[in-house]
Amino acid sequence: MENPILRRTAIRKYTDEAVSTEDVEQLVAAFQAAPCGMHEAAVMQACVVTKPKLAKRVEEAIGGAGYGAPVLFLISTKHGSPFGERDASAAAENVMIQAADLGLGSVYVMSGALRLNDSPALKQELGIDDGFDTVVLVAIGHPGEAGKNEDRSKRYKVVRN
Ligand SMILES: Cc1cc2nc3c(=O)[nH]c(=O)nc-3n(C[C@H](O)[C@H](O)[C@H](O)COP(=O)(O)O)c2cc1C
């Protein structure tokens, strides 16, 4: 399947192979190209964790919610911003589609990402600014499983008028 939008499915198992620096930079570029409400780019930021020891500590803090992925793409938004979580979801999709285009697997993680907010010292060490809540984690790596092969062509109700 050529189209990375259609090819993307949630992947929750990854091989041990590291993601190349070039690929990480493409993921960052996809994040940077994401839309933001009212052009308020300052209400969203990302922290991309690729150092294995640090990734392990993040995984410990979030109860393994990142599935041991070699890249933990943490997206944080300014507390109280009306756009924050919407911006973060749009950006996460950009990152996941870019990952699919690179042949990488990914999954959008919400609940585990929120758990990082219970570890303010670690957040500070990661460089996440004060006043920012981590709202989405995109776990990314070389796929260690095939994604679900379900027919998604009718997943949602779509009304054509
Ligand atoms: C808002 C949102 C929250 C999600 N939270 C989690 C999560 O905490 N953990 C997880 O493994 N997957 C999570 N997912 C991934 C979904 O389970 C997955 O996208 C869904 O089952 C559809 O499968 P697909 O992505 O393969 O089409 C989340 C997805 C979205 C959009």
Side-chain angles (χ1 to χ4, degrees):
M1 199 186 296
E2 282 300 308
N3 186 337
I5 297 172
L6 300 181
R7 202 167 61 233
R8 183 214 61 80
T9 58
I11 295 293
R12 299 185 176 88
K13 280 199 184 116
Y14 306 95
T15 69
D16 290 338
E17 185 181 349
V19 174
S20 71
T21 308
E22 293 76 20
D23 283 2
V24 170
E25 286 314 310
Q26 295 221 49
L27 297 169
V28 170
F31 173 78
Q32 294 288 13
C36 54
M38 296 290 286
H39 214 293
E40 285 184 16
V43 304
M44 179 166 68
Q45 54 185 242
C47 169
V48 190
V49 183
T50 56
K51 291 180 185 148
K53 278 187 188 156
L54 197 51
K56 201 164 171 234
R57 287 178 53 213
V58 172
E59 285 283 11
E60 278 162 15
I62 64 176
Y67 298 101
V71 177
L72 300 175
F73 205 111
L74 298 161
I75 304 175
S76 303
T77 59
K78 197 164 188 177
H79 189 74
S81 163
F83 302 122
E85 290 184 15
R86 293 169 174 85
D87 290 350
S89 273
E93 179 70 355
N94 264 24
V95 171
M96 292 190 293
I97 298 306
Q98 181 63 71
D101 201 38
L102 293 165
L104 299 169
S106 70
V107 64
Y108 182 122
V109 175
M110 182 180 74
S111 42
L114 301 179
R115 287 182 65 177
L116 188 63
N117 298 304
D118 298 331
S119 303
L122 179 57
K123 274 177 74 184
Q124 192 176 39
E125 189 181 334
L126 289 167
I128 299 168
D129 286 342
D130 273 354
F132 278 70
D133 301 319
T134 301
V135 291
V136 181
L137 154 66
V138 184
I140 305 163
H142 291 276
E145 65 176 358
K148 271 197 207 142
N149 190 18
E150 62 180 297
D151 174 12
R152 299 186 294 189
S153 63
K154 296 178 184 63
R155 176 180 276 177
Y156 305 108
K157 177 178 174 178
V158 176
V159 180
R160 295 171 178 81
N161 284 312

